[in-house]
Coordinates of all heavy atoms in Angstrom, one line a residue:
M1 N 46.5 49.8 -24.7 CA 46.4 50.5 -23.5 C 47.6 50.3 -22.6 O 48.0 49.1 -22.4 CB 45.1 50.0 -22.7 CG 43.9 50.6 -23.2 SD 43.8 52.3 -22.7 CE 42.3 52.7 -23.6
A2 N 48.2 51.4 -22.2 CA 49.4 51.2 -21.4 C 49.1 50.8 -19.9 O 47.9 50.7 -19.6 CB 50.1 52.6 -21.4
H3 N 50.2 50.5 -19.3 CA 50.1 50.2 -17.8 C 50.5 51.3 -17.0 O 51.4 52.2 -17.5 CB 50.9 49.0 -17.6 CG 50.3 47.7 -18.2 ND1 50.1 47.7 -19.6 CD2 49.9 46.6 -17.7 CE1 49.5 46.5 -19.9 NE2 49.4 45.8 -18.7
I4 N 50.1 51.4 -15.8 CA 50.2 52.6 -14.9 C 50.6 52.1 -13.5 O 50.0 51.2 -13.0 CB 48.9 53.4 -14.9 CG1 48.6 54.0 -16.3 CG2 49.1 54.6 -13.9 CD1 49.6 54.9 -16.8
V5 N 51.7 52.8 -12.9 CA 51.9 52.6 -11.4 C 51.1 53.5 -10.6 O 51.1 54.7 -10.9 CB 53.4 52.7 -11.2 CG1 53.7 52.3 -9.8 CG2 54.3 51.9 -12.2
T6 N 50.6 53.0 -9.6 CA 49.7 53.8 -8.7 C 50.3 53.9 -7.4 O 51.4 53.5 -7.1 CB 48.3 53.3 -8.7 OG1 48.3 52.0 -8.0 CG2 47.6 53.1 -10.0
D7 N 49.5 54.6 -6.4 CA 50.1 55.0 -5.1 C 50.5 53.8 -4.2 O 51.2 54.0 -3.3 CB 49.1 55.9 -4.4 CG 47.6 55.4 -4.4 OD1 47.3 54.5 -5.2 OD2 46.9 55.9 -3.6
N8 N 50.0 52.6 -4.5 CA 50.5 51.5 -3.7 C 51.9 51.3 -3.7 O 52.5 50.7 -2.8 CB 49.7 50.2 -4.0 CG 48.4 50.1 -3.4 OD1 47.7 51.1 -3.0 ND2 47.8 48.9 -3.5
C9 N 52.5 51.8 -4.7 CA 54.0 51.6 -4.8 C 54.8 52.5 -3.8 O 55.8 52.2 -3.3 CB 54.5 52.0 -6.2 SG 56.2 51.8 -6.6
K10 N 54.2 53.6 -3.4 CA 54.8 54.5 -2.5 C 55.1 53.8 -1.1 O 54.2 53.1 -0.6 CB 53.9 55.8 -2.2 CG 54.1 56.8 -3.1 CD 53.3 58.1 -2.7 CE 53.5 59.1 -3.8 NZ 52.7 60.3 -3.6
L11 N 56.1 54.1 -0.6 CA 56.7 53.4 0.7 C 57.0 52.0 0.5 O 57.4 51.3 1.5 CB 55.6 53.7 1.8 CG 55.2 55.1 2.2 CD1 54.1 55.0 3.3 CD2 56.4 55.9 2.7
C12 N 56.9 51.5 -0.6 CA 57.3 50.1 -0.9 C 58.4 50.0 -1.9 O 59.5 49.6 -1.5 CB 56.1 49.3 -1.5 SG 54.8 49.0 -0.4
R13 N 58.2 50.3 -3.1 CA 59.1 50.3 -4.2 C 59.9 49.0 -4.3 O 61.2 48.9 -4.1 CB 60.2 51.4 -3.9 CG 60.8 52.2 -5.1 CD 61.7 53.3 -4.6 NE 62.4 54.0 -5.6 CZ 63.5 53.7 -6.1 NH1 64.1 52.4 -5.9 NH2 64.1 54.4 -7.0
F14 N 59.2 47.9 -4.4 CA 59.8 46.5 -4.4 C 60.6 46.3 -5.6 O 61.5 45.5 -5.6 CB 58.6 45.5 -4.3 CG 58.1 45.3 -2.9 CD1 56.9 45.8 -2.5 CD2 58.8 44.6 -2.0 CE1 56.4 45.7 -1.3 CE2 58.4 44.5 -0.6 CZ 57.1 44.9 -0.3
T15 N 60.4 46.9 -6.8 CA 61.1 46.8 -8.0 C 61.1 45.4 -8.6 O 61.9 45.1 -9.5 CB 62.5 47.4 -7.9 OG1 63.3 46.6 -7.2 CG2 62.5 48.8 -7.5
E16 N 60.1 44.6 -8.2 CA 60.0 43.3 -9.0 C 59.5 43.5 -10.4 O 59.9 42.8 -11.3 CB 59.0 42.4 -8.3 CG 59.1 42.3 -6.7 CD 60.3 41.4 -6.3 OE1 60.9 40.8 -7.3 OE2 60.5 41.4 -5.1
C17 N 58.8 44.6 -10.6 CA 58.3 44.9 -11.9 C 59.5 45.2 -12.9 O 59.3 44.8 -14.0 CB 57.4 46.1 -11.8 SG 58.2 47.6 -10.9
V18 N 60.5 45.8 -12.5 CA 61.6 46.2 -13.3 C 62.3 44.9 -13.8 O 62.7 44.8 -14.9 CB 62.6 47.0 -12.6 CG1 63.9 47.2 -13.3 CG2 62.0 48.4 -12.1
E19 N 62.4 44.0 -12.9 CA 63.1 42.7 -13.3 C 62.4 42.0 -14.4 O 63.0 41.3 -15.2 CB 63.2 42.0 -12.0 CG 64.4 40.9 -12.0 CD 64.8 40.4 -10.7 OE1 63.9 40.0 -9.9 OE2 66.0 40.4 -10.5
I20 N 61.1 42.0 -14.3 CA 60.3 41.2 -15.3 C 60.0 41.9 -16.5 O 59.6 41.3 -17.6 CB 59.1 40.7 -14.6 CG1 58.6 39.4 -15.3 CG2 57.9 41.7 -14.5 CD1 57.7 38.5 -14.4
C21 N 60.1 43.2 -16.6 CA 59.8 44.0 -17.8 C 60.7 43.8 -18.9 O 61.9 43.8 -18.8 CB 59.9 45.5 -17.4 SG 59.3 46.6 -18.8
P22 N 60.2 43.5 -20.2 CA 61.0 43.2 -21.3 C 61.6 44.4 -22.0 O 62.4 44.2 -22.9 CB 60.0 42.4 -22.2 CG 58.7 42.9 -22.0 CD 58.7 43.3 -20.4
V23 N 61.1 45.6 -21.7 CA 61.6 46.8 -22.2 C 62.0 47.7 -21.1 O 62.0 47.3 -19.9 CB 60.5 47.5 -23.1 CG1 60.2 46.7 -24.3 CG2 59.3 47.8 -22.3
E24 N 62.4 48.9 -21.4 CA 62.9 49.8 -20.3 C 61.8 50.9 -20.1 O 62.1 52.1 -20.4 CB 64.3 50.4 -20.5 CG 65.3 49.2 -20.5 CD 66.7 49.7 -20.3 OE1 67.0 50.9 -20.6 OE2 67.5 49.0 -19.9
C25 N 60.7 50.5 -19.6 CA 59.6 51.5 -19.4 C 59.5 52.2 -18.1 O 58.7 53.2 -17.9 CB 58.3 51.0 -19.9 SG 57.6 49.8 -18.8
F26 N 60.3 51.7 -17.1 CA 60.1 52.1 -15.7 C 61.0 53.3 -15.4 O 62.2 53.2 -15.7 CB 60.3 50.9 -14.7 CG 59.1 50.1 -14.6 CD1 59.0 48.9 -15.4 CD2 58.0 50.4 -13.8 CE1 58.0 48.0 -15.3 CE2 57.0 49.5 -13.8 CZ 56.9 48.4 -14.5
H27 N 60.5 54.3 -14.7 CA 61.3 55.4 -14.2 C 61.1 55.5 -12.8 O 60.0 55.2 -12.3 CB 60.9 56.7 -15.0 CG 61.2 56.6 -16.5 ND1 62.2 57.3 -17.1 CD2 60.6 55.8 -17.5 CE1 62.2 57.1 -18.4 NE2 61.2 56.1 -18.7
A28 N 62.1 56.1 -12.1 CA 62.0 56.1 -10.6 C 62.4 57.4 -10.0 O 63.4 58.0 -10.5 CB 62.9 55.0 -10.0
D29 N 61.8 57.8 -8.9 CA 62.3 58.7 -8.0 C 62.5 58.0 -6.7 O 62.4 56.8 -6.6 CB 61.4 59.9 -7.9 CG 60.0 59.7 -7.4 OD1 59.8 58.6 -6.8 OD2 59.1 60.6 -7.6
S30 N 62.8 58.7 -5.6 CA 63.1 58.0 -4.4 C 61.8 57.4 -3.7 O 62.0 56.5 -2.8 CB 63.8 59.0 -3.4 OG 62.9 60.1 -3.1
E31 N 60.7 57.7 -4.1 CA 59.4 57.3 -3.5 C 58.8 56.1 -4.2 O 58.3 55.2 -3.6 CB 58.4 58.4 -3.5 CG 58.7 59.5 -2.5 CD 57.5 60.4 -2.4 OE1 56.8 60.6 -3.3 OE2 57.4 61.0 -1.2
Q32 N 58.8 56.2 -5.6 CA 58.0 55.1 -6.3 C 58.5 55.1 -7.8 O 59.4 55.8 -8.2 CB 56.6 55.3 -6.2 CG 56.0 56.5 -7.0 CD 54.5 56.4 -7.1 OE1 53.8 56.9 -6.3 NE2 54.0 55.8 -8.2
L33 N 57.9 54.2 -8.5 CA 58.1 54.0 -10.0 C 57.0 54.6 -10.7 O 55.9 54.7 -10.3 CB 58.4 52.6 -10.3 CG 60.0 52.1 -10.2 CD1 60.5 52.4 -8.8 CD2 60.1 50.7 -10.5
Y34 N 57.3 54.8 -12.0 CA 56.4 55.3 -13.0 C 56.6 54.6 -14.4 O 57.7 54.3 -14.7 CB 56.4 56.8 -13.2 CG 56.4 57.6 -11.9 CD1 57.7 57.8 -11.2 CD2 55.3 58.0 -11.3 CE1 57.7 58.5 -10.0 CE2 55.3 58.7 -10.0 CZ 56.5 58.9 -9.4 OH 56.5 59.6 -8.2
I35 N 55.6 54.4 -15.2 CA 55.7 53.8 -16.5 C 55.6 54.8 -17.6 O 54.6 55.7 -17.5 CB 54.7 52.7 -16.6 CG1 55.0 51.5 -15.7 CG2 54.7 52.2 -18.1 CD1 53.9 50.4 -15.7
D36 N 56.5 54.8 -18.5 CA 56.4 55.6 -19.7 C 55.5 54.9 -20.7 O 55.8 53.9 -21.2 CB 57.7 55.9 -20.4 CG 57.7 56.8 -21.6 OD1 56.6 56.9 -22.1 OD2 58.7 57.3 -21.9
P37 N 54.3 55.4 -21.0 CA 53.3 54.7 -21.8 C 53.7 54.5 -23.2 O 53.2 53.7 -23.9 CB 52.0 55.5 -21.7 CG 52.5 56.9 -21.3 CD 53.7 56.7 -20.5
D38 N 54.7 55.3 -23.6 CA 55.1 55.3 -25.0 C 56.2 54.0 -25.2 O 56.4 53.6 -26.3 CB 55.8 56.6 -25.4 CG 54.8 57.6 -25.7 OD1 53.6 57.3 -25.8 OD2 55.2 58.8 -25.7
V39 N 56.7 53.6 -24.1 CA 57.7 52.6 -24.1 C 57.1 51.2 -23.7 O 57.4 50.2 -24.3 CB 58.9 52.9 -23.3 CG1 59.9 51.7 -23.2 CG2 59.5 54.2 -23.7
C40 N 56.1 51.2 -22.8 CA 55.4 50.0 -22.4 C 54.8 49.2 -23.6 O 54.2 49.9 -24.5 CB 54.3 50.5 -21.5 SG 53.2 49.1 -20.9
V41 N 55.1 47.9 -23.7 CA 54.6 47.1 -24.8 C 53.3 46.3 -24.3 O 52.9 45.5 -25.1 CB 55.6 46.2 -25.3 CG1 56.8 46.9 -25.9 CG2 56.2 45.3 -24.2
D42 N 52.7 46.7 -23.2 CA 51.4 46.1 -22.8 C 51.5 44.6 -22.6 O 50.5 43.9 -22.9 CB 50.3 46.5 -23.7 CG 50.0 48.0 -23.7 OD1 50.4 48.6 -22.7 OD2 49.4 48.5 -24.7
C43 N 52.6 44.1 -22.1 CA 52.7 42.6 -21.9 C 52.0 42.2 -20.6 O 51.7 41.0 -20.5 CB 54.1 42.2 -21.9 SG 55.0 42.6 -20.5
S44 N 51.8 43.1 -19.6 CA 51.2 42.8 -18.5 C 51.9 41.9 -17.5 O 51.4 41.6 -16.4 CB 49.7 42.2 -18.6 OG 48.9 43.1 -19.3
A45 N 53.1 41.6 -17.8 CA 54.0 40.8 -16.9 C 54.2 41.4 -15.5 O 54.3 40.7 -14.5 CB 55.3 40.5 -17.5
C46 N 54.2 42.8 -15.5 CA 54.5 43.4 -14.2 C 53.3 43.3 -13.3 O 53.5 43.6 -12.0 CB 54.9 44.9 -14.5 SG 53.6 45.8 -15.4
I47 N 52.1 43.2 -13.8 CA 50.9 43.2 -12.8 C 51.0 42.2 -11.8 O 50.9 42.5 -10.6 CB 49.6 43.2 -13.7 CG1 49.5 44.5 -14.5 CG2 48.4 43.0 -12.8 CD1 48.2 44.5 -15.4
P48 N 51.2 40.9 -12.1 CA 51.2 39.9 -11.1 C 52.6 39.9 -10.3 O 52.6 39.4 -9.2 CB 51.0 38.6 -11.7 CG 51.5 38.8 -13.2 CD 51.2 40.2 -13.5
A49 N 53.6 40.6 -10.9 CA 54.9 40.6 -10.3 C 54.9 41.5 -9.0 O 55.7 41.4 -8.1 CB 56.0 41.0 -11.2
C50 N 54.1 42.6 -9.0 CA 54.0 43.6 -7.9 C 53.4 43.0 -6.7 O 52.2 42.6 -6.7 CB 53.3 44.8 -8.4 SG 53.2 46.0 -7.0
P51 N 54.1 42.9 -5.5 CA 53.5 42.3 -4.3 C 52.4 43.2 -3.7 O 51.7 42.6 -2.8 CB 54.7 42.3 -3.3 CG 56.0 42.6 -4.1 CD 55.5 43.4 -5.3
V52 N 52.2 44.4 -4.1 CA 51.1 45.2 -3.5 C 50.1 45.7 -4.6 O 49.4 46.7 -4.3 CB 51.8 46.4 -2.8 CG1 52.5 46.0 -1.5 CG2 52.7 47.2 -3.6
N53 N 50.0 45.0 -5.7 CA 49.0 45.4 -6.7 C 49.0 46.9 -7.1 O 48.0 47.5 -7.2 CB 47.6 44.9 -6.2 CG 47.3 43.6 -6.4 OD1 48.1 42.7 -6.8 ND2 46.0 43.2 -6.2
A54 N 50.2 47.4 -7.3 CA 50.3 48.8 -7.6 C 50.1 49.2 -9.1 O 49.8 50.3 -9.5 CB 51.7 49.4 -7.2
I55 N 50.1 48.1 -10.0 CA 50.1 48.4 -11.4 C 48.9 47.9 -12.0 O 48.4 46.8 -11.7 CB 51.3 47.6 -12.1 CG1 52.6 48.1 -11.5 CG2 51.3 48.0 -13.6 CD1 53.8 47.3 -11.9
Y56 N 48.3 48.7 -12.8 CA 47.0 48.5 -13.6 C 47.3 48.7 -15.1 O 47.9 49.6 -15.5 CB 45.9 49.4 -13.1 CG 45.4 49.2 -11.7 CD1 46.1 49.8 -10.6 CD2 44.3 48.4 -11.4 CE1 45.6 49.6 -9.3 CE2 43.9 48.2 -10.2 CZ 44.6 48.8 -9.2 OH 44.1 48.7 -7.8
E57 N 46.5 48.0 -15.9 CA 46.2 48.4 -17.3 C 45.2 49.4 -17.2 O 44.3 49.3 -16.5 CB 45.8 47.1 -18.1 CG 45.9 47.4 -19.5 CD 45.6 46.2 -20.5 OE1 45.5 45.1 -19.9 OE2 45.8 46.4 -21.7
V58 N 45.4 50.4 -18.0 CA 44.5 51.6 -17.9 C 43.0 51.2 -18.0 O 42.2 51.7 -17.3 CB 44.8 52.6 -19.1 CG1 43.8 53.7 -19.2 CG2 46.2 53.3 -18.8
I59 N 42.8 50.2 -18.9 CA 41.4 49.9 -19.1 C 40.8 49.2 -17.8 O 39.5 49.2 -17.7 CB 41.3 48.9 -20.3 CG1 39.9 48.9 -20.9 CG2 41.8 47.5 -20.0 CD1 39.8 48.2 -22.3
D60 N 41.6 48.7 -16.9 CA 41.1 48.0 -15.7 C 41.2 48.9 -14.5 O 41.0 48.4 -13.4 CB 41.9 46.7 -15.5 CG 41.6 45.7 -16.6 OD1 40.5 45.8 -17.1 OD2 42.5 44.9 -16.8
M61 N 41.6 50.2 -14.6 CA 41.8 51.1 -13.5 C 40.5 51.4 -12.7 O 39.6 51.8 -13.4 CB 42.5 52.2 -13.8 CG 43.9 52.1 -14.3 SD 44.7 53.6 -14.7 CE 45.3 54.1 -13.0
P62 N 40.5 51.3 -11.4 CA 39.4 51.9 -10.7 C 39.4 53.4 -10.9 O 40.4 54.0 -11.1 CB 39.8 51.6 -9.2 CG 40.8 50.5 -9.2 CD 41.6 50.7 -10.5
D63 N 38.2 54.0 -10.8 CA 38.0 55.4 -11.1 C 38.9 56.3 -10.2 O 39.4 57.3 -10.7 CB 36.5 55.8 -10.8 CG 35.6 55.3 -12.0 OD1 36.2 54.9 -13.0 OD2 34.4 55.3 -11.8
D64 N 39.1 55.9 -8.9 CA 39.9 56.7 -8.1 C 41.4 56.8 -8.5 O 42.2 57.5 -7.8 CB 39.6 56.4 -6.6 CG 40.0 55.0 -6.2 OD1 40.1 54.1 -7.1 OD2 40.5 54.9 -5.1
K65 N 41.8 55.9 -9.3 CA 43.2 55.8 -9.7 C 43.5 56.5 -10.9 O 44.7 56.7 -11.3 CB 43.6 54.3 -9.8 CG 43.4 53.4 -8.6 CD 44.5 53.7 -7.6 CE 44.3 52.7 -6.4 NZ 45.2 53.0 -5.2
T66 N 42.5 56.9 -11.7 CA 42.7 57.6 -12.9 C 43.7 58.8 -13.0 O 44.3 59.0 -14.0 CB 41.4 57.9 -13.7 OG1 40.7 58.8 -12.9 CG2 40.7 56.7 -14.0
P67 N 43.8 59.6 -11.8 CA 44.8 60.7 -11.9 C 46.2 60.1 -12.1 O 47.1 60.9 -12.6 CB 44.6 61.3 -10.6 CG 43.2 61.0 -10.2 CD 43.0 59.6 -10.7
W68 N 46.5 59.0 -11.8 CA 47.8 58.4 -12.0 C 48.2 58.2 -13.4 O 49.4 58.1 -13.7 CB 47.9 57.1 -11.2 CG 48.0 57.4 -9.7 CD1 46.9 57.4 -8.9 CD2 49.1 57.7 -9.0 NE1 47.4 57.8 -7.6 CE2 48.7 58.0 -7.6 CE3 50.4 57.8 -9.4 CZ2 49.7 58.4 -6.7 CZ3 51.4 58.2 -8.3 CH2 50.9 58.5 -7.1
I69 N 47.3 58.3 -14.3 CA 47.6 58.2 -15.8 C 48.5 59.3 -16.1 O 49.6 59.2 -16.6 CB 46.4 58.1 -16.6 CG1 45.6 56.8 -16.3 CG2 46.8 58.1 -18.1 CD1 44.2 56.8 -17.0
A70 N 48.0 60.5 -15.9 CA 48.8 61.7 -16.1 C 50.1 61.9 -15.4 O 51.1 62.3 -15.8 CB 47.9 62.9 -15.9
I71 N 50.0 61.4 -14.1 CA 51.2 61.4 -13.2 C 52.3 60.6 -13.8 O 53.5 60.9 -13.9 CB 50.9 61.0 -11.8 CG1 49.9 62.0 -11.1 CG2 52.1 60.9 -11.0 CD1 49.3 61.6 -9.8
N72 N 51.9 59.4 -14.4 CA 52.9 58.4 -14.9 C 53.6 59.1 -16.1 O 54.8 59.0 -16.3 CB 52.3 57.1 -15.2 CG 52.3 56.2 -14.1 OD1 53.0 55.2 -14.0 ND2 51.6 56.4 -13.1
V73 N 52.7 59.7 -17.0 CA 53.3 60.4 -18.2 C 54.2 61.4 -17.8 O 55.4 61.4 -18.3 CB 52.2 61.0 -19.0 CG1 52.7 61.9 -20.1 CG2 51.2 59.9 -19.6
E74 N 53.8 62.3 -16.9 CA 54.7 63.5 -16.6 C 56.0 63.0 -15.8 O 57.1 63.5 -16.2 CB 53.8 64.3 -15.7 CG 54.5 65.6 -15.2 CD 53.7 66.4 -14.1 OE1 52.5 66.2 -14.1 OE2 54.4 67.1 -13.4
R75 N 55.8 62.2 -14.8 CA 57.0 61.8 -14.0 C 58.0 60.9 -14.8 O 59.2 61.0 -14.7 CB 56.6 61.1 -12.7 CG 55.7 62.0 -11.8 CD 56.5 63.2 -11.3 NE 57.6 62.7 -10.4 CZ 58.7 63.5 -10.1 NH1 58.9 64.6 -10.8 NH2 59.6 63.0 -9.2
S76 N 57.5 60.0 -15.6 CA 58.4 59.1 -16.3 C 59.2 59.9 -17.3 O 60.4 59.5 -17.5 CB 57.6 58.1 -17.1 OG 56.8 58.6 -18.1
R77 N 58.7 61.0 -17.8 CA 59.5 61.8 -18.8 C 60.5 62.6 -18.1 O 61.5 63.1 -18.7 CB 58.6 62.6 -19.7 CG 57.9 61.5 -20.6 CD 56.9 62.0 -21.4 NE 56.3 60.9 -22.2 CZ 55.1 61.0 -22.8 NH1 54.5 62.1 -23.0 NH2 54.7 59.9 -23.4
A78 N 60.4 62.8 -16.8 CA 61.3 63.7 -16.1 C 62.3 62.9 -15.3 O 63.3 63.6 -14.7 CB 60.4 64.6 -15.1
L79 N 62.2 61.7 -15.2 CA 63.0 60.9 -14.3 C 63.9 59.9 -15.2 O 63.5 59.5 -16.2 CB 62.2 60.1 -13.3 CG 61.5 61.0 -12.3 CD1 60.4 60.2 -11.6 CD2 62.5 61.5 -11.2
P80 N 65.0 59.3 -14.6 CA 65.9 58.4 -15.3 C 65.2 57.0 -15.3 O 64.3 56.7 -14.4 CB 67.1 58.3 -14.4 CG 66.7 58.8 -13.1 CD 65.6 59.8 -13.3
V81 N 65.6 56.2 -16.3 CA 65.1 54.8 -16.3 C 65.7 54.0 -15.2 O 66.8 54.2 -14.8 CB 65.5 54.2 -17.7 CG1 65.4 52.7 -17.7 CG2 64.8 54.8 -18.9
I82 N 64.9 53.1 -14.6 CA 65.4 52.1 -13.7 C 65.4 50.8 -14.4 O 64.2 50.4 -14.9 CB 64.7 52.1 -12.4 CG1 65.2 51.0 -11.5 CG2 63.2 52.2 -12.5 CD1 64.7 51.1 -10.0
S83 N 66.4 50.1 -14.6 CA 66.5 48.9 -15.4 C 66.9 47.7 -14.5 O 66.9 46.5 -15.1 CB 67.2 49.0 -16.6 OG 68.6 49.4 -16.3
E84 N 67.3 47.9 -13.3 CA 67.6 46.8 -12.5 C 66.9 46.8 -11.2 O 66.7 47.9 -10.6 CB 69.1 46.8 -12.2 CG 69.9 46.5 -13.5 CD 71.5 46.4 -13.2 OE1 71.9 46.6 -12.1 OE2 72.2 46.1 -14.2
K85 N 66.7 45.6 -10.6 CA 66.0 45.6 -9.3 C 66.9 46.2 -8.2 O 68.1 46.1 -8.2 CB 65.8 44.1 -8.9 CG 65.0 43.9 -7.6 CD 64.5 42.5 -7.4 CE 64.0 42.3 -6.0 NZ 63.3 43.4 -5.5
Q86 N 66.2 46.9 -7.3 CA 66.9 47.5 -6.2 C 66.3 47.0 -4.9 O 65.2 46.4 -4.9 CB 66.8 49.0 -6.2 CG 67.5 49.6 -7.4 CD 67.2 51.1 -7.5 OE1 66.6 51.7 -6.7 NE2 67.8 51.7 -8.5
D87 N 66.9 47.2 -3.7 CA 66.3 46.9 -2.5 C 65.0 47.6 -2.3 O 65.0 48.8 -2.6 CB 67.3 47.2 -1.3 CG 68.4 46.2 -1.3 OD1 68.3 45.1 -1.9 OD2 69.5 46.6 -0.7
P88 N 64.0 47.0 -1.7 CA 62.8 47.7 -1.4 C 63.1 48.9 -0.3 O 64.1 48.8 0.3 CB 61.9 46.7 -0.7 CG 62.4 45.4 -1.1 CD 63.9 45.6 -1.3
L89 N 62.2 49.8 -0.2 CA 62.3 50.8 0.8 C 62.3 50.2 2.2 O 61.5 49.2 2.3 CB 61.2 51.9 0.7 CG 61.3 52.8 -0.7 CD1 60.2 53.7 -0.7 CD2 62.7 53.5 -0.8
P90 N 62.9 50.8 3.2 CA 62.8 50.2 4.6 C 61.4 50.1 5.1 O 61.1 49.3 6.0 CB 63.6 51.3 5.4 CG 64.4 52.0 4.4 CD 63.7 51.9 3.1
T91 N 60.5 50.9 4.6 CA 59.1 50.9 5.0 C 58.2 49.8 4.3 O 57.0 49.7 4.5 CB 58.5 52.3 4.8 OG1 58.8 52.7 3.5 CG2 59.0 53.3 5.7
A92 N 58.9 49.1 3.3 CA 58.0 48.3 2.4 C 57.2 47.2 3.1 O 56.0 47.1 2.8 CB 59.0 47.7 1.4
E93 N 57.9 46.5 3.9 CA 57.1 45.3 4.5 C 56.0 45.8 5.4 O 54.8 45.3 5.4 CB 58.0 44.4 5.2 CG 58.9 43.5 4.4 CD 58.1 42.6 3.3 OE1 56.9 42.3 3.5 OE2 58.6 42.3 2.2
E94 N 56.3 46.9 6.2 CA 55.2 47.4 7.0 C 54.1 48.0 6.2 O 52.9 47.8 6.5 CB 55.9 48.6 7.9 CG 54.9 49.1 8.9 CD 55.5 50.3 9.7 OE1 56.8 50.5 9.6 OE2 54.8 51.1 10.3
H95 N 54.4 48.7 5.1 CA 53.3 49.3 4.3 C 52.6 48.2 3.5 O 51.4 48.3 3.4 CB 53.9 50.3 3.3 CG 52.9 51.2 2.7 ND1 52.2 52.0 3.4 CD2 52.5 51.3 1.4 CE1 51.3 52.7 2.6 NE2 51.5 52.3 1.4
R96 N 53.2 47.2 3.1 CA 52.6 46.0 2.5 C 51.6 45.4 3.4 O 50.4 45.1 3.0 CB 53.7 45.0 2.1 CG 53.1 43.7 1.5 CD 54.3 42.8 1.4 NE 54.0 41.6 0.6 CZ 54.9 40.8 0.1 NH1 56.2 41.1 0.2 NH2 54.5 39.7 -0.6
A97 N 51.9 45.2 4.6 CA 50.9 44.7 5.7 C 49.8 45.6 5.8 O 48.6 45.2 5.9 CB 51.7 44.4 7.0
K98 N 50.0 47.0 5.8 CA 49.0 47.9 6.1 C 48.0 47.9 4.8 O 46.8 48.1 5.0 CB 49.5 49.4 6.1 CG 49.8 49.8 7.5 CD 50.2 51.3 7.5 CE 50.8 51.6 8.8 NZ 51.6 52.7 8.8
L99 N 48.6 47.6 3.6 CA 47.7 47.5 2.5 C 47.0 46.2 2.4 O 46.1 46.1 1.6 CB 48.6 47.7 1.2 CG 49.2 49.1 1.1 CD1 50.2 49.1 -0.1 CD2 48.1 50.1 0.7
G100 N 47.3 45.3 3.2 CA 46.6 44.0 3.3 C 47.1 42.9 2.4 O 46.4 42.0 2.0
F101 N 48.4 43.1 1.9 CA 49.0 42.0 1.1 C 50.0 41.2 1.8 O 50.5 41.6 2.8 CB 49.6 42.7 -0.1 CG 48.7 43.4 -1.0 CD1 48.5 44.8 -1.0 CD2 47.7 42.7 -1.8 CE1 47.6 45.5 -1.8 CE2 46.9 43.3 -2.6 CZ 46.7 44.8 -2.6
Ligands
F3S201 FE1 56.4 49.5 -7.1 FE2 55.3 47.2 -7.1 FE3 57.1 47.9 -8.8 S1 55.8 48.2 -5.3 S2 58.4 49.2 -7.7 S3 55.2 48.8 -8.7 S4 56.9 45.8 -7.9

């Protein structure tokens, strides 16, 4: 089962996940990251690395997050790989607090 980035990444984009990923499965636009399920090796290292719990293994996803499976497939294939950590978005800390983390 692949791993999926969900909406908690939006307005945050901490990119801690990229740094810990042993393969290059993360792709990015200016808002958030997405995982290519064909490249993800299901190691789960990214799950605890994300400060806002944005990443789920598909089998553990809440029902309201399941649309993100198709979004990750579609967006990861349309966007470039991100393989190095970048600065979080300027809104990251404020949004993290709003999310309760
Ligand atoms: Fe997004 Fe969390 Fe990675 S905020 S960029 S999924 S560390």
Side-chain angles (χ1 to χ4, degrees):
M1 279 290 171
H3 291 60
I4 296 296
V5 185
T6 63
D7 48 344
N8 278 15
C9 184
K10 274 189 187 176
L11 302 177
C12 291
R13 215 179 178 278
F14 281 104
T15 68
E16 310 291 350
C17 51
V18 172
E19 201 160 49
I20 204 154
C21 181
V23 293
E24 293 197 339
C25 71
F26 285 95
H27 297 249
D29 60 21
S30 59
E31 291 191 328
Q32 73 164 89
L33 271 53
Y34 310 87
I35 291 174
D36 183 338
D38 288 343
V39 178
C40 173
V41 293
D42 293 338
C43 71
S44 297
C46 57
I47 292 178
C50 177
V52 290
N53 279 12
I55 304 174
Y56 292 87
E57 188 169 4
V58 168
I59 202 166
D60 292 330
M61 290 183 84
D63 285 347
D64 65 333
K65 301 285 187 187
T66 55
W68 285 93
I69 299 171
I71 295 169
N72 275 248
V73 170
E74 183 189 332
R75 297 297 289 153
S76 66
R77 289 173 187 169
L79 292 163
V81 165
I82 173 171
S83 55
E84 290 185 1
K85 182 167 169 42
Q86 297 176 357
D87 289 339
L89 295 179
T91 47
E93 287 303 334
E94 186 186 343
H95 196 60
R96 176 185 188 164
K98 268 190 199 157
L99 291 169
F101 296 106

